């Protein structure tokens, strides 16, 4: 199969470098300049990599250059493989990214000269691909980008919330002013307006629109409805209601309509596939306008509204509306994706085990953009809250009961603000978030969970241990001892110990004597134990002992909170070979 990348070399040394690049994993076809037609490569390849002098590269490509939209990415590498330079198609053609990938393979220096990269500004033409946005402009993109990189006054309108908007918020250049309501923007004061929004806003010609995929259409229709007229009617309906068709993420309907040509083509026109729900799924939605006729035909009293609700996990912003399509009818409803809507929102964030550098990228971005950070003060190092933006409210929940926590979070969410509820480790492992989510559900406050690095993973790293051993133990059990909070009978430690797996025991330092007694029923007395206190914190401590000495060691060190006990022969083990590196295994497994 022909690769999308061609490498053209002008010497034997260049040919050797080309072959070396391919052996390192670059998927490309190699050619000698003497045997290839450069014009044909322009038409057939997405990228051409020349190996030789830059001047030769320029002379080779000059007759075939047309425009940045259709030209392939052109890259030049010196014959020694020291420098990798995009020549054309830096952003739109992907030459900058490919150059960095090639440079990484060679240990070379990528020479990137596009202005936005050299001055560390947003690459406006790359943002759509990076964040799955659709870009629309009010005038020349080239002129708007030039004004932006020349640091002309720029307005940023954010009417969505996703990874892209989080990135823009936390990396705001000095010449950019951020807005959350388009009515607050005085268009005359800005040379560029960047708008991330699913809404149609009257912002003039100086605007770059980014359309996030966050709108969900629920559809119903009569049989054999006209496809072209339906598409035109839906687009007109969206525009009349100030929504961009480019922001449609999904189209859904009832199972009875799964083969309806017009609905399938409609979904395809938005770059998606028709999502089908069973009548039972849709019937669970409590519609404000149920139809007995629709129920008799489809098995559910609501199709479009219920489908829109299911797709967006949000109440429809446009309830059932009837569209006339020639002599037939369709129903349409619209919802906005629950966790992308710019409204009050709670993000439950895993802080990781303690080291601020071990929080996830998304977790950090949430902390940098949140309006309230409510953190578990007795367990989460305060240094993690230093990511907060200016003006953010930072509170410890250590002295708060659940109603007080919910009241505080709700007060921010009700004002349309972002709340970061920061838990230690991964919030889904002994994070006590279930009762918080129940309360958020009760108040209909949308939320999402950002996972974190768990302390059991940090323990494996700190102990330089793989917690699974080939032919010995392939199971890791995360559990805790029984104290004031009971443990189900079938999950008592002495029963879990029968497997002699690697046990990671949370929240149990004060129960060390009981833990030791239960484990000794099945583990040998000399089973390795690691006692891990404040993993990855500045005052991290690790102690090793045999199981028979567990309780004594914990007592001597006076350990209570933030202590994880790891039990099993995997600790410090260096014996046993997996099949991963066996010669007969394919590269897929490595």
């Amino acid at each position: 199969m022909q690769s999308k990348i061609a490498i053209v070399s002008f010497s034997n040394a260049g040919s050797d470098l080309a072959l070396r690049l391919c052996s390192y994993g670059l998927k490309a076809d190699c050619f000698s300049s003497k045997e290839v037609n450069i014009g044909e490569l322009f038409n057939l390849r997405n990228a051409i990599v020349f190996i030789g002098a830059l001047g030769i590269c320029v002379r080779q490509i000059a007759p075939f250059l047309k425009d940045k939209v259709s030209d392939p990415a052109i890259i030049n590498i010196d014959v020694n493989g020291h420098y990798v330079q995009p020549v054309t198609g830096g952003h739109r053609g992907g030459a900058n990214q490919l150059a960095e990938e090639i440079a990484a393979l060679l240990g070379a220096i990528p020479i990137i000269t596009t202005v936005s990269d050299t001055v560390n500004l947003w690459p406006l033409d790359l943002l759509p691909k990076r964040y799955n946005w659709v870009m629309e402009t009010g005038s020349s993109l080239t002129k708007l980008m030039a004004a932006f990189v020349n640091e002309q006054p720029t307005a940023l309108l954010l009417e969505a919330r996703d990874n892209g908007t989080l990135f823009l918020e936390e990396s705001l250049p000095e010449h950019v002013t951020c807005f959350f309501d388009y009515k607050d923007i005085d268009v005359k004061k800005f040379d560029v307006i960047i708008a991330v929004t699913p809404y149609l806003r009257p912002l003039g010609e100086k605007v770059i629109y980014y359309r996030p995929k966050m709108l969900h259409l629920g559809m119903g229709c009569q049989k054999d409805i006209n496809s072209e007229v339906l598409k035109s009617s839906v687009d007109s309906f969206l525009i009349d209601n100030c929504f961009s068709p480019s922001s449609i993420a999904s189209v859904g309907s009832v199972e009875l309509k799964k083969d309806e040509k017009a609905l399938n083509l409609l979904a395809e026109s938005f770059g998606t596939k028709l999502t089908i729900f069973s009548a039972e799924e849709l019937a669970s939605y409590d519609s404000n306008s149920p139809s007995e006729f629709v129920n008799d035909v489809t098995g559910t009293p609501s199709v479009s509204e219920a489908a829109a609700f299911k797709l967006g996990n949000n109440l429809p912003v446009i309830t059932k509306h009837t569209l006339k399509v020639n002599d037939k009818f369709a129903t349409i409803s619209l919802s906005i994706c629950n966790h992308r809507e710019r409204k009050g929102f709670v993000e439950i964030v895993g802080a990781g085990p303690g080291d601020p550098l071990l929080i996830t990228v998304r977790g950090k971005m949430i902390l940098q953009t949140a309006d309230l950070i409510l953190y578990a003060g007795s367990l989460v190092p305060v240094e993690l809250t230093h990511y907060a933006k200016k003006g953010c409210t930072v509170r410890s929940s250590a002295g708060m009961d659940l109603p007080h926590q919910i009241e505080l979070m709700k007060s921010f969410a009700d004002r349309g603000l972002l709340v970061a509820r920061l838990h230690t480790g991964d919030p889904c492992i002994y994070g006590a978030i279930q009762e918080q989510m129940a309360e958020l559900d009760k108040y209909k406050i949308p939320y999402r969970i950002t996972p974190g690095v768990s302390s059991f993973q940090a323990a494996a790293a700190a102990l330089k241990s793989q917690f699974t051993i080939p032919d010995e133990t392939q199971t890791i059990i995360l559990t805790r001892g029984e104290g004031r909070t009971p443990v189900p009978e079938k999950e008592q430690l002495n029963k879990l110990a029968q497997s002699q797996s690697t046990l990671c025991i949370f929240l149990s330092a004060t129960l060390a004597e009981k833990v030791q007694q239960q484990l000794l029923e099945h583990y040998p007395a000399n089973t390795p134990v690691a006692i891990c206190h404040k993993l990855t914190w500045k005052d991290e401590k690790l102690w090793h002992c045999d199981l028979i000495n567990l309780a004594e060691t914990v007592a001597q060190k006076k350990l209570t909170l933030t202590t994880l006990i790891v039990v099993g022969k995997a600790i410090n083990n260096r014996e046993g070979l997996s099949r991963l590196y066996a010669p007969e295994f394919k590269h897929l497994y490595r």
Side-chain angles (χ1 to χ4, degrees), residues 6 43 69 87 90 137 241 260 278 290 303 390 399 401 415 441 518 563 582:
N43 295 325
V69 176
V87 181
T137 60
N241 285 276
E260 189 66 46
S278 69
V303 172
K390 291 181 181 180
D401 58 15
R415 288 182 283 150
D441 287 338
Q518 289 182 299
T563 299

Side-chain angles (χ1 to χ4, degrees), residues 85-87 90-91 96 110-119:
Q85 182 171 8
V87 181
H91 278 172
N96 286 358
I111 302 175
I112 310 298
T113 58
T114 42
V115 178
S116 60
D117 294 283
T118 56
V119 297

Side-chain angles (χ1 to χ4, degrees), residues 305-383:
E305 275 190 33
F309 171 76
K310 291 287 185 181
L311 291 169
N313 191 28
N314 206 355
L315 291 173
V317 289
I318 299 179
T319 54
K320 184 173 71 173
H321 183 88
T322 301
L323 300 177
K324 192 173 188 304
V325 181
N326 290 342
D327 58 342
K328 296 187 177 182
F329 295 94
T331 56
I332 185 171
S333 299
L334 180 77
S335 70
I336 301 176
C337 181
N338 192 314
H339 66 269
R340 290 193 171 188
E341 188 175 7
R342 176 64 66 162
K343 62 179 181 181
F345 195 82
V346 175
E347 188 87 20
I348 301 172
V349 179
D355 185 342
L357 295 179
L358 288 179
I359 193 170
T360 64
V361 173
R362 190 171 81 187
K364 178 183 175 183
M365 293 171 72
I366 293 292
L367 295 184
Q368 290 173 321
T369 55
D371 301 292
L372 167 68
I373 297 176
L374 182 61
Y375 72 106
S378 60
L379 300 171
V380 174
V382 70
E383 287 82 0

